Amino acid sequence: MSQVSAANSSPFSPGRPVVFRNAIVLTIDPSLGMIEGGDVLVTANRIAAVGRQLAVPDGSVEIDAAGGILMPGMVDTHRHMWQTALRGFGADWTLTNYFQFYYLNWGKIFRPEDIYAGNLLSAIEAIDAGVTTSVDWSHGLQTVEYADAAVDALEAVPGRFVLAYGNLLGAPWEWTKTPELADFIKRRIDGHGDRLGMQLAFDVTGDPTFPEKAAFEAAREFNLPVTTHAGVWGATNDNGIRLMHEHGFMTPSTIYVHAATLSEDSYQRIAATGGHTSISTESEDNAGQGYSPTWQLRRYNIPVSLSMDTSVWWSADLFSAMRATLNADRAIEHLEAHKRNETVTLSHLRAEQVVTWATLGGAEALGMDRDIGSITVGKKADLVLIKNDQSPVMFPILHPYGHIVFQAGRGDVHTVMVDGNVVKYDHRLLNIDLTRARQAVAKTVEYARAQMGEQAWIAAMNPEKAAVELRENPYTYTDKARAQQKDA
Ligand SMILES: [Zn+2]
């Protein structure tokens, strides 16, 4: 057996067993719970044993996980990965700014190579952050050539991905019916293994003639789940849910993204048909889809998964998603109680629950929980070791679930394993060509900026600021406060 040291950073090879030693193991398997001083043995691409001081095969590589937390790979059920090419561009946007940018003005300028660039960077970023499975809600696919580029990028990165095929500039009842799409599924998805799945991605407008019916029928024919932005303030609402339900298209495989501004009736329909939600709290908070709804969803027992939505605002960091979701859920419980002149004395949402949503919750939403989502013998080995001996934040670890949510961050992701393959070790990605991603994205930025023109580029990144009106103040404001108000 060889213990891995920093000087010897690539002892990992296909087929060689790996054992994580002496971790706090958060199995997220209800029958195993948390194991302190735990070991996890991986042989081939599966979890072979979970316990303490495991006997392992000769030649196993040992990863010293002492002082760390080993958890299942995280699952992001909703990201527009192509938009990572313009990382951070929309930091000050609202959803209106976003729609104007992509839907009305500039979505059409992106080429297949731009989709490739965004996806490549996004996919690398995901595995670096311990997100071993990502749904690429890819709604920039103007033609099948774009979809080929998207998949080329996903296949270049050793993560697990689900291509949620979409086209924001086309009508879903048209593009889902093209022979090119059927051919694409045969060429790129069917028989390509379980590291690449597929869904159909489109929204339901609520138009009473229900034009999306044909797209749902196509999904049924292809046997693909549908993922849809539902309950987005000003965009999709209860009418869409009702039409889907009345036509029999709400199924356990359907994913409702945001599900923020919906009525009790819609939540009841989702609960009754077994669908899953994808909650992107940083997105809902910032963009305005509605308040992150987890506090409502528990009243209907609707399952939750987590997501980061788009890197045009945020990153692929599910630590942020867990933290934001716990914050939002507790904040509204307190505020609602205060309105009734009451005090919340017991928290509903627990750290353990959001860690479960970020892992098993995502796997269940994608119908992949037989294979991933928990550290269970027999499951595929998608694992994340959170360990950072250089960090003052990594000790003491007293409440491991809380530590993941409120203390640790992506900088503490030490080792990432996908399908039994170590893709990151000792804080460094292995066999990842970051230079290629950097060059591809630089070209896309240069191209988009030239297409838009300097003025439009700057204006789009810096939308006009909403004005603040100072309240009357009987004590009079200081001169400084008045001057700041003038500048604003
Ligand atoms: Zn979205």
Side-chain angles (χ1 to χ4, degrees):
M1 187 183 307
S2 61
Q3 173 115 18
V4 180
S5 69
N8 176 21
S9 61
S10 288
F12 308 107
S13 56
R16 192 171 178 190
V18 175
V19 61
F20 293 84
R21 288 283 194 206
N22 213 14
I24 298 170
V25 183
L26 304 183
T27 67
I28 317 298
D29 179 327
S31 67
L32 296 172
M34 175 170 75
I35 303 169
E36 292 189 64
D39 297 353
V40 174
L41 173 67
V42 175
T43 58
N45 63 341
R46 293 194 185 265
I47 296 163
V50 182
R52 289 195 181 90
Q53 295 172 337
L54 294 173
V56 300
D58 288 343
S60 298
V61 187
E62 183 174 302
I63 294 176
D64 175 11
I69 302 171
L70 188 66
M71 62 184 284
M74 291 177 265
V75 180
D76 184 328
T77 55
H78 182 80
R79 275 187 87 217
H80 307 290
M81 292 174 70
W82 63 287
Q83 295 177 344
T84 304
L86 296 191
R87 181 191 293 290
F89 187 91
D92 289 325
W93 282 357
T94 61
L95 199 57
T96 303
N97 300 132
Y98 172 87
F99 285 146
Q100 284 167 344
F101 186 87
Y102 283 110
Y103 285 68
L104 293 180
N105 293 323
W106 306 112
K108 60 181 177 288
I109 69 172
F110 292 89
R111 307 159 299 176
E113 57 259 53
D114 304 316
I115 303 291
Y116 177 88
N119 268 28
L120 186 65
L121 179 59
S122 184
I124 294 171
E125 187 201 341
I127 60 168
D128 182 63
V131 179
T132 51
T133 301
S134 298
V135 172
D136 177 21
W137 218 97
S138 193
H139 59 352
L141 307 182
Q142 299 180 47
T143 67
V144 163
E145 285 69 44
Y146 286 73
D148 278 316
V151 169
D152 287 345
L154 299 180
E155 286 181 341
V157 178
R160 221 180 272 286
F161 302 99
V162 175
L163 178 74
Y165 194 116
N167 178 1
L168 63 86
L169 298 170
W173 49 94
E174 287 169 1
W175 60 257
T176 55
K177 305 299 261 187
T178 58
E180 291 81 9
L181 178 66
D183 176 62
F184 169 84
I185 296 169
K186 270 201 202 101
R187 279 191 299 112
R188 302 303 301 261
I189 305 295
D190 289 348
H192 280 68
D194 70 354
R195 278 196 26 230
L196 181 65
M198 187 168 164
Q199 302 173 331
L200 289 186
F202 57 87
D203 294 340
V204 181
T205 59
D207 175 341
T209 65
F210 195 43
E212 296 85 3
K213 183 167 181 257
F216 281 104
E217 285 167 349
R220 190 180 278 169
E221 279 161 36
F222 291 128
N223 195 25
L224 294 175
V226 170
T227 173
T228 189
H229 293 105
V232 173
W233 179 258
T236 58
N237 58 34
D238 294 314
N239 290 330
I241 297 286
R242 185 179 44 76
L243 286 163
M244 284 172 68
H245 193 222
E246 285 171 358
H247 288 83
F249 294 120
M250 290 176 76
T251 77
S253 72
T254 310
I255 297 190
Y256 306 88
V257 182
H258 305 307
T261 39
L262 292 174
S263 66
E264 172 157 60
D265 178 69
S266 288
Y267 289 132
Q268 287 167 335
R269 290 177 199 258
I270 293 171
T273 50
H276 295 252
T277 54
S278 174
I279 306 305
S280 322
T281 303
E282 279 200 328
S283 182
E284 288 125 32
D285 280 355
N286 283 273
Q289 292 91 338
Y291 200 88
S292 176
T294 57
W295 67 294
Q296 305 236 51
L297 300 177
R298 67 171 146 268
R299 297 172 187 173
Y300 303 96
N301 204 18
I302 294 172
V304 175
S305 67
L306 300 184
S307 53
M308 288 304 301
D309 209 356
T310 168
S311 292
V312 82
W313 272 277
W314 311 285
S315 73
D317 178 357
L318 275 188
F319 294 95
S320 296
M322 289 188 277
R323 193 174 297 180
T325 302
L326 197 54
N327 289 346
D329 190 292
R330 289 178 177 175
I332 199 161
E333 293 259 306
H334 289 299
L335 291 172
E336 290 290 309
H338 299 176
K339 279 187 206 161
R340 301 186 302 266
N341 204 25
E342 291 170 5
T343 301
V344 174
T345 56
L346 297 170
S347 289
H348 272 111
L349 186 57
R350 298 305 174 113
E352 179 175 353
Q353 182 67 66
V354 290
V355 175
T356 302
W357 286 344
T359 52
L360 188 59
E364 287 172 345
L366 302 179
M368 295 169 75
D369 50 306
R370 259 183 310 177
D371 279 326
I372 60 167
S374 66
I375 301 180
T376 302
V377 171
K379 281 197 182 183
K380 300 278 174 68
D382 289 7
L383 301 170
V384 180
L385 175 62
I386 316 292
K387 166 174 164 139
N388 188 350
D389 294 340
Q390 303 304 312
S391 168
V393 181
M394 284 306 289
F395 62 89
I397 300 175
L398 305 177
H399 185 313
Y401 298 101
H403 208 98
I404 297 277
V405 178
F406 282 137
Q407 305 292 332
R410 65 181 305 160
D412 302 312
V413 173
H414 177 287
T415 298
V416 180
M417 177 181 266
V418 182
D419 208 39
N421 178 26
V422 176
V423 299
K424 182 180 185 182
Y425 177 70
D426 200 14
H427 302 277
R428 301 179 76 89
L429 289 165
L430 303 180
N431 305 314
I432 294 288
D433 192 351
L434 202 55
T435 303
R436 189 158 125 226
R438 185 178 280 120
Q439 287 168 349
V441 165
K443 278 188 194 152
T444 291
V445 170
E446 190 185 358
Y447 161 79
R449 195 167 181 157
Q451 287 288 304
M452 290 171 63
E454 202 58 17
Q455 214 180 344
W457 174 268
I458 291 167
M461 201 183 334
N462 301 285
E464 204 181 324
K465 201 173 164 188
V468 179
E469 211 171 307
L470 271 186
R471 301 291 306 264
E472 285 294 317
N473 182 348
Y475 308 106
T476 78
Y477 287 103
T478 64
D479 290 343
K480 194 175 165 194
R482 281 199 213 90
Q484 279 168 346
Q485 171 67 3
K486 253 188 199 162
D487 294 345

